[in-house]
């Protein structure tokens, strides 16, 4: 038998446009004292990056295949030809740039985009065996319009590290993405929204920014002190909205599922009668997918509010503060209420691939024996 080990040195999360690096080690586990008759021979091995697209037949009408799309053929540098001596071990470095225009990793209700590094191996006189290494790809819109500067002095780099040209370009892209994310998500300005139903003002909602990164907290405040309609309870949910593009939507009459689906990632609920001011904090999971847009589907983020308000004007459910005689006070058994909802769109961007790797800690090494 022959053991094949694939190791991602930096972790399983990458930014589109970065170079994926994987060390593939092929070992003949027989001891060096074994005879040549018991040695193993590996006919060939190759490595490729695949993005698998899955669509729900009940939600998506798949587009016809594109006959003009060229088939991807493995290049010569993806082929490994190790030796066959007993006990010998050979390591090979595989590097490939992830397409910057590709979709992000996403597992939704309508579609799924799954990235894998596939290493194919075949032992002499044996069937082909595949080793699949799962990857997660984050996409930052706008990086495809930027180019690596020709002047090395312009590219930001660490003077304490020795890097080749490919390493400098990869480092430059990572630093540029970090600067772009920091600039887009660090701006803070208080945004106020008046919340009203058909009978008057319920309160004022305040939020300090509308653009976030994965791993950040969405913090908001709710001021009910100046409302003319009593709010008994409210809830706010951090949700994603997955929507199939109109040209690929399957008709509901043909037994298709809804073309829009929502997933709740965090939720806060509070009883707020006689509350003047309150706040909430909803964390954005590192394992979630930032907003994106493809020809088939789009993903957007939002805050979904639900309010329960009283129909009675000037509702009072507390006993009077001053009474001339001792008395027993009980609140009303029933209160007529109304409910309404409100959606506030927000924007969620990727974060550092290194930080995103903490969302699913685990081994970065995959092994197969053939």
């Amino acid at each position: 038998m022959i053991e094949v080990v694939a190791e991602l040195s930096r972790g399983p999360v990458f930014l589109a446009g970065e170079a994926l690096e994987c060390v593939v080690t092929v070992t003949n586990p027989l001891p060096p004292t074994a005879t040549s008759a018991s040695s193993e021979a590996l006919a060939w091995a190759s490595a490729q990056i695949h993005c698998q697209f899955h669509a729900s037949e009940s939600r998506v009408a798949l587009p016809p295949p594109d006959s003009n799309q060229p088939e991807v053929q493995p290049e010569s540098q993806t082929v490994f030809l190790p030796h066959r001596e007993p006990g010998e071990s050979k390591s090979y470095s595989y590097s490939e740039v992830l397409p910057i225009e590709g979709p992000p990793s996403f597992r939704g209700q309508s579609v799924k985009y799954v990235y894998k590094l596939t290493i194919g191996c075949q032992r002499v006189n044996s069937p082909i065996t595949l080793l699949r290494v799962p990857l997660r790809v984050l996409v930052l819109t706008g990086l495809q319009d930027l180019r690596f500067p020709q002047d090395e002095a312009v590219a930001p780099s660490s003077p304490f590290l020795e890097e080749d040209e490919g390493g400098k370009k990869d480092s430059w892209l990572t630093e540029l993405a970090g600067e772009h994310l920091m600039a887009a998500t660090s701006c803070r300005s208080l945004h106020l929204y008046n919340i009203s139903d058909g009978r008057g003002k319920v309160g004022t909602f305040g939020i300090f920014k509308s653009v976030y990164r994965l791993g950040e907290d969405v913090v908001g405040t709710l001021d009910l002190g100046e409302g003319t309609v009593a709010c008994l309870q409210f809830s706010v949910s951090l949700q994603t909205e997955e929507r199939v593009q109109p040209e690929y939507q399957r008709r509901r009459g043909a037994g298709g599922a809804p073309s829009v689906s929502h997933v709740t990632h965090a939720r806060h609920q509070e009883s707020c009668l006689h509350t003047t001011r309150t706040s909430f904090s909803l964390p954005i999971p590192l394992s979630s997918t930032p907003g994106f847009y493809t020809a088939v589907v789009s993903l957007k983020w939002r805050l979904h509010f639900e309010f329960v308000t009283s129909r009675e004007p000037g509702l009072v459910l507390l006993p009077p503060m001053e009474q001339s005689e001792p008395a027993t006070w009980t609140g009303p058994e029933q209160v007529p209420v109304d409910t309404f909802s409100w959606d506030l769109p927000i924007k969620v961007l990727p974060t550092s691939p290194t930080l995103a790797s903490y969302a699913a800690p685990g081994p970065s090494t995959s092994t197969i024996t053939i």
Side-chain angles (χ1 to χ4, degrees):
M1 62 180 179
I2 297 176
E3 184 181 64
V4 181
V5 179
E7 180 180 4
L8 300 172
S9 56
R10 208 204 63 186
V13 183
F14 298 87
L15 190 66
E18 278 190 294
L20 177 149
E21 294 185 358
C22 179
V23 177
V24 181
T25 302
V26 182
T27 304
N28 188 343
L30 292 176
T33 57
T35 61
S36 60
S38 60
S39 63
E40 300 284 356
L42 187 66
W44 60 269
S46 67
Q48 285 183 319
I49 299 175
H50 295 98
C51 178
Q52 297 178 339
F53 170 73
H54 305 271
S56 171
E57 294 183 358
S58 63
R59 296 173 180 266
V60 181
L62 291 176
D66 187 2
S67 58
N68 298 324
Q69 185 71 19
E71 294 185 359
V72 179
Q73 300 293 336
E75 299 180 0
S76 59
Q77 62 263 30
T78 67
V79 179
F80 315 119
L81 298 175
H83 297 276
R84 65 176 188 176
E85 284 76 9
E88 186 177 11
S89 178
K90 291 286 186 179
S91 295
Y92 301 84
S93 178
Y94 169 77
S95 179
E96 187 65 57
V97 176
L98 291 163
I100 198 169
E101 69 280 359
S105 297
F106 177 63
R107 294 181 179 270
Q109 302 293 326
S110 300
V111 302
K112 294 179 175 63
Y113 296 103
V114 181
Y115 282 86
K116 296 179 181 179
L117 171 62
T118 304
I119 300 175
C121 309
Q122 185 177 22
R123 197 176 59 176
V124 175
N125 299 325
S126 298
I128 297 175
T129 305
L130 299 179
L131 173 61
R132 294 182 175 91
V133 183
L135 309 172
R136 183 185 176 195
V137 177
L138 303 175
V139 174
L140 181 58
T141 305
L143 286 183
Q144 60 267 28
D145 299 328
L146 302 174
R147 296 181 179 180
F148 179 62
Q150 300 297 325
D151 186 2
E152 295 184 1
V154 177
S157 61
S158 174
F160 305 101
L161 299 177
E162 294 183 0
E163 298 177 337
D164 55 12
E165 188 66 20
K168 290 181 179 179
K169 183 175 181 179
D170 198 42
S171 174
W172 175 80
L173 181 66
T174 304
E175 294 185 25
L176 184 64
E179 293 177 0
H180 178 77
L181 289 171
M182 183 63 69
T185 59
S186 61
C187 297
R188 292 179 176 270
S189 178
L190 181 60
H191 302 275
L192 297 177
Y193 302 89
N194 290 325
I195 302 172
S196 303
D197 62 2
R199 292 175 288 105
K201 181 178 179 180
V202 177
T204 302
F205 173 69
I207 192 171
F208 291 95
K209 63 178 185 176
S210 59
V211 182
Y212 299 85
R213 286 180 292 176
L214 294 180
E216 287 191 299
D217 293 339
V218 180
V219 179
T221 62
L222 187 62
D223 190 347
L224 303 172
E226 298 180 356
T228 58
V229 178
C231 183
L232 307 181
Q233 179 179 289
F234 83 95
S235 66
V236 54
S237 301
L238 178 64
Q239 297 181 340
T240 50
E241 179 185 270
E242 179 186 359
R243 181 182 297 271
V244 180
Q245 305 298 357
E247 57 268 32
Y248 296 128
Q249 292 181 6
R250 190 170 295 279
R251 295 182 179 179
R252 296 293 301 276
S259 59
V260 180
S261 56
H262 299 92
V263 175
T264 298
H265 300 272
R267 189 171 186 267
H268 174 87
Q269 181 173 330
E270 184 176 338
S271 298
C272 54
L273 182 64
H274 305 295
T275 297
T276 302
R277 186 179 179 90
T278 185
S279 63
F280 64 86
S281 178
L282 300 176
I284 303 176
L286 283 171
S287 58
S288 57
T289 302
F292 70 93
Y293 175 94
T294 66
V296 180
V297 72
S298 65
L299 185 74
K300 297 180 180 180
W301 287 76
R302 71 178 188 178
L303 293 176
H304 178 70
F305 292 84
E306 294 181 355
F307 296 91
V308 179
T309 58
S310 171
R311 293 180 183 175
E312 298 181 0
L315 176 66
V316 177
L317 295 182
L318 292 179
M321 298 300 296
E322 297 181 0
Q323 294 185 0
S324 58
E325 298 179 357
T328 301
W329 181 91
T330 58
E333 295 182 357
Q334 295 182 349
V335 177
V337 298
D338 287 327
T339 61
F340 69 96
S341 61
W342 174 57
D343 295 327
L344 176 64
I346 62 173
K347 190 173 183 180
V348 176
L349 301 178
T351 187
S352 165
T354 303
L355 181 60
S357 298
Y358 293 112
S364 298
T365 302
S366 301
T367 306
I368 193 173
T369 302
I370 61 175

